[in-house]
Amino acid sequence: MPLPVPLAPVETTKPQRLTRVTTPLYETSISSEGGKFQEFVLHYRGEKPMVVVGDLGPVGLVVAKPENQLSQVVAMQPSAESLKVDAGQPKQELVLVGSHEGLRVQQTLTFHADSYAVDTRVRIENPSASSQSLTVTLPWFTRQDWRDDKAKERFQGQHPTEVVWSADGKTEHVDPLCTLQPVSTDGSWIVLGNVWYMTALIPHTGGFKLIAQGEDKACESKSKQPVGRATIAVQATPSIAAGQAWEGTVTFFVGPKEYDRLKALGLEGAINFGGFPIPRRWGGLPMDWLGVPILLLMNWVYRHVGNYGIAIILLTVVSKVLFYPLTVKSMRSMKAMQALQPQINSLRNKYKSDPQRLQKETMDLYREHKVNPMGGCLPMLAQVPIFYALYLALSVSVELQGATFLCFGRLFGVDLWICDLAGHDPTYVLPILMGITMFIQQKLTPTAGDPRQAKMMLVMPFVFTYMFLSLPAGLVLYWTVSNVLQILQQRLMDRRKTPRTA
């Protein structure tokens, strides 16, 4: 069922009333117009606004009758002008009461001191002598396009880029928002958010549907101005008998994508760890089972060391230690192949007009010296999913936002040095160090192929350095430390005699 649009004016002539709610995790203002959040500011590594009037936020409680083409945001009266939720009062309720075409409407919002979740209970009473059919909707909207750089800077990265919902045990993602097609399904929850922050609507009462829709052709616009609007909602269509009442309960979660908090609400699927890029016909390889343990391990290390930069370094060291035997095996195989390269080149010159004989003689040479030509690749391939999962875990970790590593303050408005592991290094020192370590690693790595190909590989550090200039410092730190450890391993191997030489 589509969203009930357009909205009619709020059915009241009284001015809007706001109730200020303060909690340890956020501050919000609740409007008498449908009980919507007029503002919602997270206290999470700074002040993070999650509502921007006119651009992003809830519409409020919307009620419509089938015979009425216009839905209406219900005007209500709040029970208090302010609420404070803290350790002394960990749970507080705000009751809003209004009416809609002879129906009595009550909305109860419950706030918790230790949670970003706000429980919403809607009760509609039918005092009339006849049955009433309704459409009850709780929508949340956003601009479909956030290309306005000034708005994004002011909004500090909370602007939504995707819609995610869970239905029939499956999680669906739509990104970017301009590609959103109409959605109407039974399900557990629906989310509007981005990599780090989100708003989730979680229905707890049967009969609610998950709704999402966007405006057509939003992706086709070349304008720099905002294009279109995307909306998610939970929607119920109750029929209330004469003298009876209907109740529905929905939870709003407005906050950061911290895994433990999301898992407690069944929302962990909203974190997109992606999948390992193997052919789809093989079923894909979900990365949650690798990314989640790594993310939890990083947070566990952080609780003991108190610095996410150090936690990333220790996590990288642990991964290198675990795969050290495979790395050694790979390096030995590559050195053995390098030692045999002169003889392989001689065979290529001798049998260049007979490919089958060349292949046979080459394989005989490998067998004679007990060298596996794939020995240098297979151990490294076994490590790729782990390293990829580590990369993804750092990419989606909201805990890194605003987390410092080596921060010496600010000079002329520029951070010195790494004051935000989720942002790029403003001095570009770390990406340059990464490029240097990658170049050294390339020079030390044994090569058994065409020398011209080896020279081409030396260009890669420059390409990666350019790519990493704008990547989060946490990812660059991980890559740099990984390169340094690889160099140390290579130097250690070079000091030992290889088991076989040609």
Side-chain angles (χ1 to χ4, degrees):
M1 180 178 295
L3 289 171
V5 290
L7 296 178
V10 178
E11 39 176 33
T12 182
T13 58
K14 296 181 180 180
Q16 175 183 219
R17 292 182 58 187
L18 296 177
T19 299
R20 189 71 178 173
V21 180
T22 304
T23 80
L25 300 178
Y26 61 87
E27 292 184 17
T28 181
S29 291
I30 308 300
S31 171
S32 58
E33 296 179 358
K36 67 181 180 181
F37 301 119
Q38 189 72 11
E39 64 174 329
F40 202 108
V41 180
L42 305 179
H43 301 315
Y44 188 84
R45 301 191 183 278
E47 302 297 303
K48 301 294 192 302
M50 297 293 290
V51 171
V52 177
V53 177
D55 287 333
L56 171 65
V59 175
L61 177 61
V62 179
V63 177
K65 290 187 176 181
E67 66 272 12
N68 191 346
Q69 295 183 353
L70 290 178
S71 58
Q72 294 180 320
V73 177
V74 181
M76 295 184 283
Q77 294 295 321
S79 61
E81 294 184 355
S82 64
L83 291 176
K84 185 174 183 180
V85 188
D86 52 24
Q89 294 178 308
K91 181 178 177 182
Q92 289 270 47
E93 288 188 349
L94 176 67
V95 180
L96 301 103
V97 178
S99 62
H100 175 77
E101 298 188 12
L103 301 173
R104 186 177 185 273
V105 181
Q106 178 178 301
Q107 186 176 11
T108 304
L109 303 177
T110 305
F111 305 91
H112 308 271
D114 59 350
S115 175
Y116 294 102
V118 179
D119 298 323
T120 302
R121 185 172 72 253
V122 178
R123 177 181 174 86
I124 301 178
E125 299 175 358
N126 177 19
S128 69
S130 60
S131 177
Q132 299 283 344
S133 295
L134 301 172
T135 299
V136 181
T137 311
L138 289 166
W140 197 288
F141 74 93
T142 180
R143 285 160 44 178
Q144 279 182 277
D145 196 315
W146 288 88
R147 283 178 287 179
D148 184 347
D149 292 336
K150 292 183 179 179
K152 286 197 293 186
E153 182 179 354
R154 173 173 59 88
F155 205 30
Q156 304 178 42
Q158 291 83 257
H159 52 282
T161 58
E162 66 177 2
V163 171
V164 190
W165 67 92
S166 174
D168 299 326
K170 297 180 180 179
T171 302
E172 302 288 341
H173 292 257
V174 175
D175 184 2
L177 285 175
C178 65
T179 62
L180 179 63
Q181 299 296 316
V183 175
S184 178
T185 182
D186 297 321
S188 303
W189 48 261
I190 189 166
V191 163
L192 181 65
N194 59 23
V195 176
W196 293 328
Y197 298 92
M198 72 180 200
T199 295
L201 310 182
I202 313 168
H204 301 290
T205 307
F208 275 103
K209 283 190 173 295
L210 309 179
I211 307 291
Q213 67 181 33
E215 296 186 20
D216 294 337
K217 300 183 179 179
C219 289
E220 298 178 8
S221 174
K222 304 299 182 182
S223 171
K224 294 183 179 180
Q225 299 301 317
V227 178
R229 174 176 289 192
T231 305
I232 65 169
V234 288
Q235 186 177 83
T237 54
S239 180
I240 309 174
Q244 299 298 312
W246 171 86
E247 286 192 2
T249 304
V250 175
T251 294
F252 287 86
F253 176 91
V254 187
K257 288 184 174 181
E258 293 182 329
Y259 183 82
D260 290 338
R261 291 186 185 274
L262 299 189
K263 184 173 177 59
L265 295 171
L267 294 169
E268 65 272 19
I271 301 179
N272 186 9
F273 288 94
F276 193 68
I278 63 177
R280 184 174 297 180
R281 64 178 180 272
W282 295 351
L285 179 62
M287 300 303 292
D288 300 42
W289 59 283
L290 289 176
V292 170
I294 289 174
L295 184 59
L296 296 178
L297 179 61
M298 182 182 70
N299 290 333
W300 180 82
V301 175
Y302 168 77
R303 287 194 290 269
H304 289 79
V305 301
N307 186 296
Y308 272 108
I310 296 176
I312 291 172
I313 292 174
L314 293 177
L315 201 61
T316 310
V317 171
V318 169
S319 67
K320 283 293 185 181
V321 170
L322 291 176
F323 285 105
Y324 181 74
L326 289 178
T327 303
V328 170
K329 185 175 181 180
S330 175
M331 289 181 178
R332 286 176 176 171
S333 180
M334 293 172 68
K335 280 188 170 293
M337 288 287 293
Q338 186 181 38
L340 290 176
Q341 194 60 34
Q343 297 180 60
I344 294 175
N345 290 337
S346 177
L347 291 175
R348 288 174 179 169
N349 293 330
K350 184 176 182 180
Y351 301 109
K352 58 184 178 180
S353 58
D354 190 350
Q356 292 183 350
R357 180 68 183 275
L358 172 61
Q359 182 179 8
K360 180 180 180 302
E361 293 292 335
T362 302
M363 296 306 296
D364 290 342
L365 181 64
Y366 288 150
R367 282 192 291 268
E368 179 184 352
H369 292 274
K370 299 180 180 180
V371 174
N372 182 359
M374 298 299 295
C377 300
L378 293 179
M380 297 302 295
L381 288 176
Q383 304 177 49
V384 170
I386 299 295
F387 291 141
Y388 185 61
L390 183 58
Y391 173 88
L392 289 174
L394 295 178
S395 298
V396 303
S397 176
V398 68
E399 291 87 349
L400 296 185
Q401 191 178 47
T404 63
F405 174 44
L406 295 175
C407 182
F408 307 108
R410 294 174 67 87
L411 182 64
F412 302 115
V414 178
D415 290 336
L416 299 176
W417 171 34
I418 300 177
C419 301
D420 184 1
L421 285 166
H424 73 277
D425 180 357
T427 64
Y428 301 110
V429 171
L430 191 58
I432 293 174
L433 288 176
M434 187 281 304
I436 293 173
T437 56
M438 190 173 183
F439 183 82
I440 296 173
Q441 178 189 346
Q442 291 276 10
K443 292 289 289 183
L444 293 177
T445 301
T447 57
D450 190 339
R452 290 174 298 181
Q453 184 179 2
K455 291 180 180 179
M456 288 296 295
M457 291 299 295
L458 292 178
V459 178
M460 296 303 295
F462 299 97
V463 176
F464 270 69
T465 300
Y466 178 77
M467 292 170 52
F468 275 52
L469 291 177
S470 58
L471 288 183
L475 291 175
V476 185
L477 177 63
Y478 149 68
W479 208 278
T480 304
V481 174
S482 180
N483 288 345
V484 171
L485 294 176
Q486 186 72 19
I487 292 170
L488 294 177
Q489 288 179 345
Q490 184 66 55
R491 297 288 294 176
L492 182 63
M493 286 292 299
D494 289 344
R495 289 182 180 181
R496 300 176 180 177
K497 291 184 178 180
T498 55
R500 308 177 189 87
T501 56

